[in-house]
Amino acid sequence: MSLYQDLNWAQGRKNLPGLRGVAYFINKKDIVRWPVLSDEGETAVACSTYVGDFELAEDAKWKKVDVIQRKNSLTSEPQGERESTTVLNKLSVKHAGTDEEAIALQRYGNRDDLVWLVQDMNNQKKYRVVGSPIFDNITKVSLNLGSEATSEKATTIEVEATDECLPFYTGKIVTSEGDMNAPDSVTDPPEESA
């Protein structure tokens, strides 16, 4: 059985860059059990998508960050020797606020091991996981209060996470606003009645 599959792309298919306007994070110590990522799946989906849900400690919840859509990026680059190659996933997002909540994230997030979930513009059904159960993640939070009327005022969050890949997640996301399943996080508008 081959681990590789054709990489097809239909001419004219929409391919929007960037990330959607919300990111989620949680301290890794609040994850009791990770969903499963297959070592050698039978399909591309099986080896690149977590199966199951993140099981969290009691009262632990994913925290939401509203991000500026046009000011974010996510890249995945190979690193290491051939026999032990991993990837370095780099996430950069900006949040317009610089108040108490941003300061608390800066104060503690800069030294905690945080795991992040983000959604790319093309895929409304899955999130990307930036973080690994094996390797430590680095989150750097900086605040810029601006200097003049046209300056940017924002909180910048930069994450570096070593992992085997940049996997997808379709499971439950437990938040203070309620539990949601990633596939149901974006709903179609209601149909108009005749």
Side-chain angles (χ1 to χ4, degrees), residues 9-194:
W9 190 266
Q11 184 67 30
R13 179 178 167 192
K14 183 167 56 174
N15 190 23
L16 299 175
L19 303 175
R20 293 187 176 268
V22 175
Y24 296 94
F25 73 91
I26 195 165
N27 195 320
K28 191 188 288 184
K29 69 180 183 183
D30 289 329
I31 300 173
V32 174
R33 189 176 67 209
W34 283 66
V36 177
L37 188 62
S38 175
D39 282 335
E40 292 186 6
E42 294 180 11
T43 66
V45 171
C47 70
S48 62
T49 304
Y50 277 109
V51 175
D53 298 326
F54 281 98
E55 184 181 320
L56 307 181
E58 188 175 350
D59 297 328
K61 298 187 184 321
W62 290 89
K63 304 299 180 194
K64 181 176 90 168
V65 179
D66 290 324
V67 299
I68 305 169
Q69 269 191 348
R70 65 190 181 281
K71 298 276 187 170
N72 55 57
S73 67
L74 177 58
T75 61
S76 184
E77 305 165 358
Q79 62 181 3
E81 298 300 319
R82 182 174 184 170
E83 292 75 19
S84 57
T85 300
T86 56
V87 297
L88 180 60
N89 297 324
K90 294 181 181 180
L91 172 66
S92 178
V93 296
K94 290 200 178 197
H95 169 69
T98 56
D99 293 331
E100 292 86 349
E101 297 83 2
I103 293 169
L105 177 58
Q106 181 185 46
R107 182 175 180 188
Y108 302 111
N110 282 343
R111 60 181 184 245
D112 275 336
D113 190 353
L114 304 179
V115 177
W116 294 80
L117 299 177
V118 291
Q119 205 174 21
D120 72 56
M121 293 296 286
N122 274 349
N123 203 322
Q124 298 181 18
K125 304 289 186 186
K126 299 178 181 181
Y127 281 78
R128 302 278 187 161
V129 179
V130 183
S132 162
I134 303 169
F135 302 102
D136 291 341
N137 310 317
I138 299 170
T139 298
K140 297 178 181 178
V141 183
S142 58
L143 276 67
N144 181 354
L145 301 185
S147 60
E148 56 190 41
T150 57
S151 294
E152 180 179 69
K153 180 179 178 183
T155 298
T156 300
I157 301 162
E158 295 180 330
V159 183
E160 291 187 357
T162 293
D163 205 339
E164 293 183 67
C165 61
L166 181 57
F168 285 109
Y169 176 65
T170 60
K172 183 168 61 174
I173 302 171
V174 179
T175 74
S176 60
E177 298 175 346
D179 298 356
M180 61 183 217
N181 284 355
D184 299 329
S185 62
V186 177
T187 57
D188 294 326
E191 293 181 16
E192 293 181 15
S193 56

